[in-house]
Every structure is written in C-alpha cells, then in structure tokens.
Amino acid sequence: MSELTLQAKELDAADALAPVRSRFLLDDVVYLDGNSLGALPAHVPDRIADVVRREWGELRIRSWQESGWWTAPERIGDRIAPLVGAAPGQVVVGDSTSVNVFKAVVAAARMAGEDRTEILVDAGTFPTDGYIAESAARLTGHTLRAVTTAEVPDALGPRTAAVLLNHVDYRTGRLHDLPSLTAAIHAAGALAVWDLCHSAGALPVGLDAHGVDLAVGCTYKYLNGGPGSPAFLYVRRELQPRFDSPLPGWNSHAEPFGMKPSYDPAPGAVRGRVGTPDILSMLSLEAALEVWEGVGIDAVRAKSLALTDFFLSCVAHHAGDRVESVTPAAHGERGSQVSLRCENAGDVMKRLIEAGVVGDFRPPDVLRFGFTPLYTSFAEAERAARVLGAVLG
C-alpha cells in the first residue's frame, strides 16, 4: 500500500461526514462531476414514486392543498436558506437559473433609480448570465459593461445600477470575495446580484450577513436535486416590498385565484414566483435536500478544502508537471473544484471516464474535477489522481 493510499485511508477513517455517503446511490466509478450534476440520493426514487402514484394518481387536483404542492416553492426555499446563510422567507424555488437571473437583474435595475443607467457584469461569467444581462440591459434602457471581478471596485460609479457576479468561476474554481465586493457595490449606491451556482451547498455564502441584495442558484449541482431541478431566487427582506419582477405571473399575485385583470404582487419572496411550479422536479429536490439533515455547511467546507488539498498533492505526485492547476491554492480563493490544464485535455478526459474517473472538460484545455464532500472520499481523490497520472503516461 503506497503512502498516499495509506494517508487516504486514514483521512477517510477520521472523516465525520463519511457516513453521509451511504445516503446516495453510488457505484465503483469515481464521480467528480458533482459541480455539473449531483449524485442521486438513495431515497428519492421511492419518494417520487409516491408523488406520482398517490399524490398525482389518487389525490390528483386535491394534492395542491392536501399534499402541499401550492406552498412548495417557499417551503423548499426555506430549506435551502440555511445553506446559503439566509433567514426564512427570502428564498423561493422555481424556474431555471437563467430565468431567475433575468428577474433579479431587471428588478435590481428598476430598484436602483432612473439616474443609474449602467449594469456591470463579470467578464468571465457563465455565458448565459452574460446573455441574460445583455437582454436585461436592452429591456431597461441601461448600458451593459463587462469587467473582471478585480476591476469591479474601480468600475463602480454614480451611474452603476446593478452588478452581476459569480461567486465561483465555473472554469477555474476561483472563489470571489463576496463580502468585500458586495460592500464596494453598496458603497457606490448600487445593488449586488450574485450567481451561486457553484457555491450553494459547497461552502458558506452568508447572504444575510453580508447584505447581498439578490442571488440566484441552481439546485442540481451540490444540492443534488436532479437533472433540470428548479433554481432558487433570494430577495433580501428589506427589498421585497420594492421587488418589481419583469415576469409578473399569476402565482405571484396577491390573490392568485382572484383572476383579476390588474397585477397586485404578493408580499414577500412569493413575488419571485411566476407560473405553475414544476411539481415533480420540485418535490424530487425537496426529498434530495433531506440528505442535509444533521450536516452543517461549515463541516462541508472544511472537508472540501481537505479533499482538494489532498487531491492536488496526489496530482503533484502522480502527474507532476504534465498538468498545471488553474485553481487557486489559497483556501480563501478556492471553491470546491480543481481545474487542471494539460495538452489534449478533451482526449484525456475521455480516457479518464473510460477508466472509471468522471470529471468534465472545458475548452480549450481544462480538466474539471468537482468535489462534493457529502459523498466524495479521500480514497477516490487519490485514485483519480493515480489514474490521471497513468492516462498521461
């Protein structure tokens, strides 16, 4: 047994989160793509079977009330809230991340005031965020300016209405400084909108503590909600009375069944809803979130950093200078993934997957490995690095 293999065994034996792994359906594959799609919690299939057969099959329309379908967006939002550092009543679940980004950016631009005519967006953002921000700017008559995260403080000014930023860079895994950037945005009189897709469920966010105005995030990555599971929208409590959604659907009406021709928004985070919820995927997400019972986000973060530290040391041993890490070494700048640059990265990832190590590839030359502390072991981290070394020759 090699020294690294022995070290992995010792780390797994001391891991307080190791028992949580049994809450998931896993196999012998080393699954390091939870930053794209989380693994399936073991109890979800039976829960969804009950929803389909009993709640839909037997109760039918009665389930909107008797099974709690109608209140699911807020109820599940309150379950996600502690994982992103939010008090109850500020998170609503529904629609996709893209749709929620649109709601948040347009609403922020409207709330900022008529004298603020510019929206800033992270130049390295996930492409859809950029597309949505551009459309939102056209819709509201604002100009859009793309800047790097480092340039944000100097780019802020009296014309800035809103700033859309990613908490973690999806390619490199770099963690951006949400507290200081939010403070700088507020000092300039603008609103901060954060995309939490690569941080929710992986590390503490502190939305309330840092005064974030609006935030969005997906639930199929580190929250393990399943493919296409609905996203969430956070609206800070103090802003809720002024939140002016560009998509005022009947579900967010103060009297949704009043069928009035004029729109009167409901109070609270409910006004972030639009139309009929995707009940099957939403209840799948609700069931998936049960794996978090007894698990604290700080413990998840501690294991995440230990896992990625260990993986990087294993990569250095097995792969040497044949790969280059583009993920920051500093803990304060690292999310829960490791991105490695190498030649022929697309082919390398294909061969890794064939060898039972699943990550993903981002053009032109980046291998991404996402570490989900709820089910990833140290032994898997060592095995992944060892297979990578073998694939690289």
Side-chain angles (χ1 to χ4, degrees), residues 260-334:
K260 296 182 178 180
S262 59
Y263 180 71
D264 180 20
V270 176
R271 65 177 59 193
R273 292 175 63 161
V274 184
T276 305
D278 300 320
I279 288 299
L280 296 183
S281 58
M282 189 166 289
L283 296 185
S284 177
L285 166 62
E286 183 173 35
L289 290 170
E290 292 176 13
V291 300
W292 287 90
E293 290 180 6
V295 177
I297 195 65
D298 289 331
V300 168
R301 175 59 169 166
K303 182 179 176 182
S304 167
L305 292 172
L307 273 170
T308 49
D309 277 345
F310 182 62
F311 178 68
L312 285 167
S313 67
C314 292
V315 167
H317 176 80
H318 290 295
D321 59 4
R322 289 167 290 175
V323 295
E324 173 195 1
S325 176
V326 294
T327 299
H331 285 182
E333 298 175 5
R334 188 195 310 166

Side-chain angles (χ1 to χ4, degrees), residues 20 23-24 41-44 46-48 75-76 79-80 83 223-225 282-295 374:
V20 181
R23 301 178 189 179
F24 293 86
H43 65 283
V44 169
D46 287 343
R47 170 65 179 128
I48 294 308
R75 183 178 70 247
I76 302 171
R79 193 153 198 166
I80 291 173
L83 301 178
L223 296 179
N224 310 296
M282 189 166 289
L283 296 185
S284 177
L285 166 62
E286 183 173 35
L289 290 170
E290 292 176 13
V291 300
W292 287 90
E293 290 180 6
V295 177
L374 296 183

Side-chain angles (χ1 to χ4, degrees), residues 64-65 67-77 273 277 279 282:
W64 285 105
Q65 295 301 324
S67 301
W69 288 2
W70 184 261
T71 56
E74 297 81 55
R75 183 178 70 247
I76 302 171
R273 292 175 63 161
I279 288 299
M282 189 166 289

Side-chain angles (χ1 to χ4, degrees), residues 107-116 142 160-162 189-191 242:
R110 289 173 172 176
M111 288 188 287
E114 294 182 359
D115 57 332
R116 293 183 173 269
H142 288 64
T160 309
L191 281 80
R242 296 195 293 126

